[in-house]
Amino acid sequence: MTPTRYAFVKASWHADIVDRALDGFYQLVPPEQVDVFDVPGAFEMPLLSRDLAATGRYGAVIAAAFVVDGGIYRHEFVAQAVVDGLMRAGMDTGVPVLSVSLTPHQYQETEHHKQIYRAHFIEKGREAAKAALTIGKTRAALAA
């Protein structure tokens, strides 16, 4: 049987934007079914996601981050490593690990951009909830 609890891992970097994904997730999955874990940034998500998935307690692990150019490195490097790591975590454990990790080409620390991405993260959180619920139903049907 597929567990009905979910782990939600979120990066603290740009938390004012990233946390909106959890708001969107809660629109479809009750908060009492979700364990929330904070990590410093996107790069730390795959390892914790794998560890959480390996516990067998969760029907899915959702990982949310906002990866933008930091001036020191190109965000594409981090984004690719994160997405590859999340996919590997799911494949290695057999538990869905879903990414709500966005990597915009253009982001500026303006209120206009923050509003746009906050709204987008709410939608992506809802989409992650739909995906987690759908995968759970499909896996339960396969097991029956």
Side-chain angles (χ1 to χ4, degrees):
M1 177 170 223
T2 303
T4 57
R5 292 201 64 71
Y6 301 93
F8 200 102
V9 178
K10 57 188 183 66
S12 297
W13 191 254
H14 293 288
D16 62 317
I17 295 171
V18 174
D19 289 357
R20 303 298 65 85
L22 185 57
D23 296 340
F25 195 81
Y26 283 158
Q27 291 178 3
L28 296 175
V29 177
E32 52 275 359
Q33 287 182 248
V34 182
D35 294 331
V36 179
F37 302 89
D38 290 303
V39 293
F43 206 72
E44 293 80 19
M45 292 191 315
L47 180 62
L48 182 58
S49 295
R50 186 208 57 200
D51 293 348
L52 291 166
T55 68
R57 290 184 219 150
Y58 301 106
V61 177
I62 297 79
F66 191 50
V67 182
V68 298
D69 276 336
I72 298 171
Y73 55 81
R74 296 293 300 166
H75 66 286
E76 292 93 346
F77 166 76
V78 173
Q80 189 64 53
V82 169
V83 171
D84 288 348
L86 293 174
M87 179 60 72
R88 187 164 18 123
M91 297 301 289
D92 288 352
T93 63
V95 173
V97 176
L98 308 174
S99 175
V100 183
S101 301
L102 301 182
T103 311
H105 288 289
Q106 301 293 324
Y107 175 71
Q108 297 169 2
E109 292 274 345
T110 65
E111 193 54 38
H112 175 71
H113 271 196
K114 288 179 182 181
Q115 288 177 1
I116 289 169
Y117 287 106
R118 284 181 191 126
H120 194 61
F121 265 83
I122 290 171
E123 179 58 30
K124 294 316 248 178
R126 278 194 299 264
E127 290 175 4
K130 287 177 189 175
L133 294 167
T134 300
I135 291 168
K137 287 178 187 173
T138 302
R139 294 182 103 192
L142 288 172

